[in-house]
């Protein structure tokens, strides 16, 4: 049932996803990576991901390679999906994400691709109008409503949106520019 529900939701987004994924993966610059980093890191400009970026994250969730090679817990799954979509961040457990991380800003109105986080669990918002998210759950990978009684009992969910630092996502190799765990 969960797989069918996920398929139905994602079919509705599929025409946008392939376009968004192609657009997101286009290099943003023709400069060598070392030159881009040297010229742009001191500016510390930040901007949240766009709705198209969010669709690219959802497309990465459908990537069978991510689904087959990722550890089956929620935080590793979400991390692998973000990396595959071109939005790298230092791996964090769900409890760390719940407290907040430099790579994410807390939002009140989630969009597709945002994180939905409780203490001890994290997922990716798929269809905010229906409160649907995707994650690794006890029954396997699937979708559920973050308004369902089970999730409500876990406490207040928090939503986070990935922050692109210096506009340098998707064209760089996966490594951390600004945040290091201590």
């Amino acid at each position: 049932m969960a797989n069918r529900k996920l398929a139905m939701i994602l079919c509705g987004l599929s025409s946008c996803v392939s376009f968004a994924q192609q657009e997101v993966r286009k290099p943003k610059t023709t400069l060598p990576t070392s030159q881009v980093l040297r010229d742009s890191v001191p500016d510390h400009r930040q901007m949240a991901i766009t709705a198209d970026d969010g669709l690219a994250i959802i497309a990465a969730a459908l990537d069978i390679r991510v689904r087959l090679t990722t550890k089956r817990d929620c935080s590793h799954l979400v991390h692998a999906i973000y990396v595959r979509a071109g939005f790298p961040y230092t791996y964090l457990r769900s409890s760390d994400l719940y407290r907040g991380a430099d790579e994410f800003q807390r939002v009140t109105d989630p969009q597709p691709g945002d994180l939905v986080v409780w203490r001890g669990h994290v997922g990716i918002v798929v269809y905010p109008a229906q409160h649907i998210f995707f994650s690794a759950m006890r029954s396997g990978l699937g979708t559920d409503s973050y308004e369902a009684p089970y999730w409500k009992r876990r406490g207040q969910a928090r939503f986070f949106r990935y922050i692109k630092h210096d506009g340098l996502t998707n064209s760089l190799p996966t490594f951390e520019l600004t945040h290091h765990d201590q």
Side-chain angles (χ1 to χ4, degrees):
M1 178 71 172
N3 286 338
R4 186 174 359 164
K5 190 187 309 181
L6 176 62
M8 289 174 44
I9 291 167
L10 295 174
C11 283
L13 297 172
S14 65
S15 62
C16 298
V17 169
S18 63
F19 174 76
Q21 194 171 25
Q22 290 170 2
E23 289 297 308
V24 169
R25 293 183 186 271
K26 287 183 181 177
K28 307 262 191 256
T29 181
T30 57
L31 295 174
T33 301
S34 59
Q35 182 69 38
V36 171
L37 290 174
R38 190 170 45 256
D39 291 347
S40 60
V41 170
D43 292 342
H44 300 295
R45 289 174 285 151
Q46 301 177 350
M47 66 183 223
I49 61 171
T50 65
D52 285 345
D53 294 335
L55 293 176
I57 293 166
I58 293 169
L62 293 175
D63 188 329
I64 193 70
R65 292 168 292 194
V66 171
R67 296 172 77 144
L68 291 177
T69 60
T70 302
K71 293 181 183 180
R72 293 292 181 168
D73 71 336
C74 60
S75 55
H76 281 96
L77 174 67
V78 166
H79 180 257
I81 289 168
Y82 266 75
V83 168
R84 179 73 179 150
F87 301 102
Y89 65 92
T90 302
Y91 168 78
L92 296 165
R93 296 173 308 167
S94 56
S95 57
D96 296 326
L97 288 167
Y98 187 82
R99 287 190 291 272
D102 291 342
E103 296 91 342
F104 294 90
Q105 89 180 39
R106 192 165 173 191
V107 295
T108 55
D109 295 318
Q111 68 183 25
D114 287 348
L115 297 181
V116 56
V117 188
W118 295 266
R119 287 184 179 96
H121 195 78
V122 62
I124 297 174
V125 175
V126 175
Y127 191 35
Q130 295 294 318
H131 311 286
I132 304 295
F133 73 101
F134 174 78
S135 188
M137 301 183 205
R138 287 183 183 172
S139 60
L141 302 180
T143 61
D144 201 358
S145 169
Y146 46 82
E147 294 292 324
Y150 174 82
W151 300 108
K152 289 282 199 180
R153 283 192 301 273
R154 292 195 72 138
Q156 184 66 40
R158 293 181 179 175
F159 300 96
F160 294 93
R161 187 162 300 143
Y162 186 87
I163 299 297
K164 297 190 274 188
H165 293 278
D166 303 305
L168 292 177
T169 59
N170 304 311
S171 59
L172 299 178
T174 302
F175 59 91
E176 182 55 39
L177 293 176
T178 61
H179 179 77
H180 298 284
D181 283 344
Q182 299 173 353

